[in-house]
Amino acid sequence: MTALLATKAAAQPGPGGTSDPDRMIQISDCHSIIEVLRRIKHGGPEWAHRNVNICFPGPSNAWTSVYSLQGTSDPYFDFMYTRNEPPQEALSAQLGKYPQCTVIDWSPGRLACIKAQDVGIETLAEIIRDVAEAAWDERITVVYASYEEMGRA
């Protein structure tokens, strides 16, 4: 799992990361986290094969990646995590507020991954917003989203 997260982190926009903008497709008319999650959840079967990046414009230029929400009760997301202390410590208030959340893995100064068991998209949107605001010390007001098609087996 750590290797997967490290590979994912290297492909993300942000400090030290790279991204292939030619492969990213802007998601129009989605300017809030809940709008993006609704598009993923209810947009059709093609969304099962897309990695969705949500960018939070602001001083940190932060991001999160949301994975398929179709057919799963345990969604998970990666997010930019620039701290060196474990997210379980830095985000203890948010993790206490959402006991259904578990930190799956993290890479100091790079990213963290959280699983949210048995939550709906409204709650998932709240979790992502609360975690993002705590991790980056910024208020989230607007987002930009894009996706990349993933290969199919």
Side-chain angles (χ1 to χ4, degrees):
M1 181 65 139
T2 302
L4 172 65
L5 289 174
T7 301
K8 183 70 180 166
Q12 294 301 319
T18 61
S19 180
D20 184 356
D22 294 332
R23 293 187 60 177
M24 300 304 293
I25 300 168
Q26 184 74 28
I27 301 173
S28 60
D29 302 325
C30 288
H31 301 291
S32 69
I33 298 168
I34 189 65
E35 290 172 336
V36 174
L37 297 182
R38 284 181 181 143
R39 177 77 57 95
I40 296 168
K41 181 76 175 177
H42 305 295
E46 66 273 10
W47 288 94
H49 304 284
R50 294 177 175 168
N51 280 345
V52 176
N53 295 320
I54 302 173
C55 297
F56 302 87
S60 67
N61 197 28
W63 55 265
T64 187
S65 292
V66 180
Y67 301 95
S68 177
L69 300 177
Q70 297 181 347
T72 182
S73 62
D74 297 341
Y76 63 99
F77 60 97
D78 293 337
F79 60 98
M80 183 177 91
Y81 186 75
T82 57
R83 300 176 185 196
N84 287 318
E85 68 182 301
Q88 295 89 332
E89 294 174 17
L91 304 174
S92 62
Q94 291 70 30
L95 295 171
K97 181 178 177 181
Y98 302 105
Q100 63 273 52
C101 290
T102 306
V103 175
I104 297 174
D105 202 359
W106 69 289
S107 176
R110 303 268 303 158
L111 68 106
C113 184
I114 291 181
K115 176 174 74 171
Q117 188 170 346
D118 294 322
V119 298
I121 58 173
E122 290 81 10
T123 302
L124 183 60
E126 289 175 25
I127 293 167
I128 292 171
R129 186 195 66 243
D130 287 354
V131 165
E133 288 181 352
W136 309 318
D137 296 321
E138 293 179 23
R139 176 114 169 90
I140 306 301
T141 56
V142 68
V143 303
Y144 299 102
S146 59
Y147 67 89
E148 180 177 13
E149 293 286 345
M150 300 309 299
R152 298 180 191 194

